[in-house]
Amino acid sequence: MSARRGRGATWALLAVAALLGGCAVDPRVRMKSLEDENRQLTREVQAADQAVQASASYLAELQSPAKAGGAFSLYFTPEALERMAAQMVPYRMPGRDFNSKLKGEIIVERVTDFQFLSRNRLRCKAHLRGEKVKYTGSVPSFAKGQVKDFEQAVTKGAIADLEVQLTLDGARVLARAEATEIRLRAKRDSSAESRLQSEMNKSALRLPLVFDMTLQANGAVPRRLLVTGNHVVVTYAP
């Protein structure tokens, strides 16, 4: 098989040939990419500013509890977040959320290994598997076996490393996740994993998860969110 034909097989395997067509030469695509990048950078700057302000307020309250003005905080450890995540899974996503020609479902079975980062971020692992996954697009005959291998590998599962940005929006916490790496459990293929990661970020993770943090017992709403080295701290107004 020639080098060119080998590359064609790889892209057919990952069902992204259509996505690649014209992207490099269409200025509208380039402009859209720059706009998306600018929005992402703006969100990151706003999140960093929020984290700095929250840190300063939190430190002041620790140094002088009277400054809290009756506010109280809830502290979430990595173990607590893992228990909360266990109540939300299995979480099913249509295969088309990853690629428009992918049938079946991608199921998040577990979310584990929470680690806290700076600037109100955290890291975790999402354990995924496919169910009745099938690519419905046109595939060259020489690549059909590879596509089948890919479908079977996704069915057997993958682990996605996620980096999550937390921001407070009124009474809601917005969790914007980005896959930083995906590893197939079977039939490891770096090109396939890279493209699956790219599709996941562009489609399945495009919108944030939203959590209403209002305390139903007394209607208290959060006024501050802060990720420390050991906890996610949500502070409520009295």
Side-chain angles (χ1 to χ4, degrees):
M1 181 183 297
S2 68
R4 177 173 295 181
R5 193 175 187 185
R7 286 196 297 270
T10 300
W11 295 127
L13 162 66
L14 297 172
V16 295
L19 296 175
L20 295 176
C23 287
V25 298
D26 190 339
R28 293 171 300 180
V29 173
R30 177 58 178 162
M31 179 61 70
K32 176 64 165 56
S33 176
L34 291 173
E35 290 172 349
D36 289 345
E37 182 179 352
N38 183 63
R39 280 192 290 269
Q40 174 67 18
L41 291 172
T42 299
R43 285 196 297 265
E44 290 177 358
V45 170
Q46 292 172 342
D49 288 343
Q50 186 184 81
V52 169
Q53 294 169 7
S55 297
S57 299
Y58 183 60
L59 180 60
E61 290 173 7
L62 290 178
Q63 293 174 336
S64 177
K67 293 183 179 180
F72 61 95
S73 297
L74 298 181
Y75 296 80
F76 299 92
T77 64
E79 294 77 16
L81 294 183
E82 192 160 328
R83 288 194 298 269
M84 293 170 63
Q87 299 175 13
M88 302 172 59
V89 295
Y91 181 77
R92 294 176 174 266
M93 296 177 286
R96 63 177 178 272
D97 281 0
F98 287 76
N99 186 278
S100 61
K101 298 185 183 300
L102 196 64
K103 289 181 61 177
E105 291 184 314
I106 304 296
I107 303 168
V108 180
E109 294 189 311
R110 292 184 298 141
V111 183
T112 64
D113 297 276
F114 285 90
Q115 297 177 318
F116 298 142
L117 307 174
S118 62
R119 303 195 306 277
N120 283 0
R121 296 172 300 138
L122 59 84
R123 183 183 295 122
C124 60
K125 297 183 185 297
H127 301 254
L128 320 170
R129 68 174 177 86
E131 188 172 278
K132 299 180 180 178
V133 171
K134 184 173 180 61
Y135 178 61
T136 61
S138 177
V139 178
S141 57
F142 61 81
K144 288 183 178 180
Q146 292 170 297
V147 171
K148 187 68 174 178
D149 287 344
F150 177 71
E151 293 169 348
Q152 292 175 349
V154 172
T155 299
K156 291 179 179 178
I159 298 175
D161 291 341
L162 303 180
E163 187 173 294
V164 185
Q165 177 75 64
L166 300 179
T167 55
L168 191 61
D169 179 28
R172 310 180 307 167
V173 170
L174 307 184
R176 296 183 181 275
E178 178 183 3
T180 57
E181 184 179 3
I182 292 183
R183 297 176 300 283
L184 293 169
R185 292 184 180 276
K187 211 73 175 181
R188 291 293 306 271
D189 183 307
S190 59
S191 295
E193 292 165 340
S194 176
R195 294 306 305 179
L196 189 59
Q197 174 188 339
S198 176
E199 293 300 295
M200 188 173 184
N201 285 330
K202 286 193 295 185
S203 301
L205 299 178
R206 183 174 56 88
L207 298 176
L209 292 175
V210 180
F211 303 92
D212 186 346
M213 299 299 292
T214 303
L215 296 182
Q216 300 303 318
N218 56 14
V221 297
R223 75 175 192 185
R224 184 178 67 233
L225 179 145
L226 176 66
V227 178
T228 73
N230 300 307
H231 301 91
V232 174
V233 184
V234 182
T235 301
Y236 287 82

